Amino acid sequence: MNFRNSGNPGSGRGQGNGGGRGRNNGGSCGTGGFCVCAKCGEKVPHQQGVKCTSVKCPKCGHIMVREELLKK
């Protein structure tokens, strides 16, 4: 069956409420900022292209999170 020209309304993007924006409503935290340890509060500069959750705290070894996400 050919679904391309079946006459169904819509643009093929889905019918949900999310709008396809992904995480954080499509807004990333951008460059700069800090990764913060949720356990001890240690701050290290965020490195572009490296997720804070892949960085371990140099002080206690706990996983770091983006500073902007802790403030929410």
Side-chain angles (χ1 to χ4, degrees):
M1 180 177 226
N2 186 357
F3 290 104
R4 278 187 178 177
N5 298 321
S6 64
N8 291 337
S11 63
R13 291 185 166 192
Q15 302 293 324
N17 293 330
R21 292 184 298 265
R23 281 186 157 175
N24 297 329
N25 290 324
S28 66
C29 296
T31 59
F34 290 92
C35 298
V36 181
C37 178
K39 189 173 183 182
C40 73
E42 181 74 10
K43 278 175 124 177
V44 296
H46 173 72
Q47 295 178 357
Q48 186 175 2
V50 179
K51 294 181 180 180
C52 288
T53 54
S54 67
V55 177
K56 294 200 177 194
C57 176
K59 194 171 182 182
C60 72
H62 197 265
I63 293 174
M64 309 285 273
V65 292
R66 192 66 186 248
E67 183 178 38
E68 290 86 355
L69 297 177
L70 275 180
K71 292 179 180 179
K72 288 184 179 180

